Each structure stands twice: as structure tokens, then as C-alpha cells.
Amino acid sequence: MKHPPLVESLIEAFTCLPGVGPRSAQRMTYALLERGREQGRELAGALQAAMDGVSHCERCRNYAERTNAEQNLCAICQDPRRDPSLICIVSSPANVLAVEQSGEFRGHYFVLMGELSPLDGVGPRELGLDVLEQRLRDGEIRELILATGTTVEGEATAHYILDLAREAGVSVTRIAQGVPMGGDLEFVDGATLAQALRARRPFAD
Ligand SMILES: [Zn+2]
């Protein structure tokens, strides 16, 4: 038996989500059509609004809502109480939230939206490192705090950025203690992360 084309295409559309195969997609589709039409419409509206309205902050690359302002900046980059000369480098927006929850950091961020992984086609440009290099040269950054993961890709990314910072004469520290090897910041509790930030050390190879 085949579903009607509209049902079929909804199932197909759900499979674009990470971890969702054809069977889960089918279950989701049935659930919405049977008992969740109103939530389904809300989901459709929220999807549409987010896909059209969310862009990247032009300074730190974190998610930011599109505005009519001259520059699209996120709330952190617009906050005058934060120190723009201190930049914490993280791999993902989830890691920004993790560091924010530690309550320990009052600088700005640079969000890579990934880590160097040449085999997957993720090079320096995909991570915005050309933009970071320019900002390092501009002389507005006093210190970089590297908070990329402790995986192989995270370490490779950290070393690449270390080279950029050295060329620009900017000091680099790396969060250290408390972050488990091979771990992701997302899963580190706030107290541990606060300690890791306080105990950051100069980063060198
Ligand atoms: Zn920003």
C-alpha cells in the first residue's frame, strides 16, 4: 500500500532530521495527522519563521535574528557590558550556552559552527577562520580563549587558531582542567566549566 502523495512527502521530509529514519518519520507523520493537527500547524509556522528569520551574527557567527539594522548582531555582541577584546572560541551555539551557564565569562565569542575536518570538506573557510584572522590583525582582540572540544578535530582546530593568533601577536589560552578528554562542552556541568575557565593556561604545542 502506498500513502497519498502528501503523506508520503511529509514522511520523506521528516527524514532530513538527524537520527530520523523512514520508520520514525512515518510515526511522526501519523501522530501529527491523527492527534496533532494544531501542533503540526504550529510546527510548520515555527519552521518557516526560523528558516526565514534566523541568520548568523556578523561578528561572532552565532545564531541571530535577522533585523533591519546595518549589522546583524546577536544579543551578546550588542551588550555594552561585555568585553570585546576577550574572545572565547567554541565549536557550536550549544557550547556558548554551556559557557554562559558557568557565569564565569564576560567577553565575546567566536562560534566556529564545526571543527576542522578536511575529509568532510570542513576547512578553515567553512569555520570562518579567514574572518577571525582579519579580526586578529585589526588589533581589537587582546586574548583568545580556546574552548574547542578535546577530540582530535577539536585539537587540530585549536592548533590552527593558535598559529593565526601567534602571527597576529595575540595571546592564547586554552580551557583545561575539568573538561573530560574526548568530551563535549555541552555535557559539562556549570561548576566544572567555571573551574576550567578560571584555570585556563597558555596554549602551546
Ligand atoms: Zn554575535
Side-chain angles (χ1 to χ4, degrees):
M1 184 201 93
K2 255 203 162 299
H3 294 109
L6 283 176
V7 177
E8 211 45 67
S9 65
L10 181 54
I11 295 172
E12 173 68 29
F14 272 126
T15 61
C16 77
L17 294 169
V20 176
R23 285 181 77 90
S24 322
Q26 185 170 296
R27 230 175 13 248
M28 290 176 183
T29 301
Y30 290 167
L32 289 178
L33 288 173
E34 277 312 301
R35 290 176 299 278
R37 297 251 172 164
E38 202 39 55
Q39 292 97 315
R41 287 190 191 97
E42 277 172 29
L43 174 64
L47 265 175
Q48 183 84 53
M51 294 307 112
D52 292 343
V54 177
S55 63
H56 291 281
C57 171
E58 286 172 32
R59 190 172 297 162
C60 73
R61 291 167 49 91
N62 201 355
Y63 294 127
E65 286 192 25
R66 272 184 228 284
T67 61
N68 292 323
E70 199 173 307
Q71 244 197 333
N72 245 348
L73 296 178
C74 71
I76 290 176
C77 287
Q78 286 185 53
D79 187 344
R81 291 163 301 177
R82 301 190 70 122
D83 179 0
S85 71
L86 184 61
I87 307 276
C88 181
I89 307 231
V90 292
S91 309
S92 75
N95 291 343
V96 172
L97 293 182
V99 176
E100 284 298 286
Q101 273 162 14
S102 79
E104 191 72 18
F105 184 64
R106 298 304 297 161
H108 282 210
Y109 293 89
F110 191 82
V111 188
L112 301 167
M113 297 287 175
E115 286 171 341
L116 285 178
S117 182
L119 291 179
D120 302 311
V122 183
R125 188 169 287 271
E126 282 68 33
L127 303 181
L129 293 176
D130 48 339
V131 177
L132 181 67
E133 187 174 9
Q134 189 55 51
R135 287 190 54 197
L136 285 166
R137 287 214 192 108
D138 289 346
E140 66 191 27
I141 299 174
R142 178 171 49 87
E143 180 187 343
L144 284 188
I145 301 174
L146 289 170
T148 52
T150 47
T151 55
V152 174
E153 292 83 6
E155 290 294 330
T157 309
H159 280 92
Y160 188 95
I161 295 169
L162 173 65
D163 287 342
L164 292 184
R166 273 187 179 151
E167 273 172 37
V170 171
S171 83
V172 179
T173 52
R174 176 103 163 98
I175 62 166
Q177 276 168 297
V179 179
M181 292 306 288
D184 193 304
L185 280 194
E186 219 177 308
F187 307 112
V188 176
D189 68 276
T192 306
L193 198 48
Q195 167 58 23
L197 275 163
R198 274 194 297 269
R200 69 182 188 269
R201 57 183 168 73
F203 182 58
D205 38 18

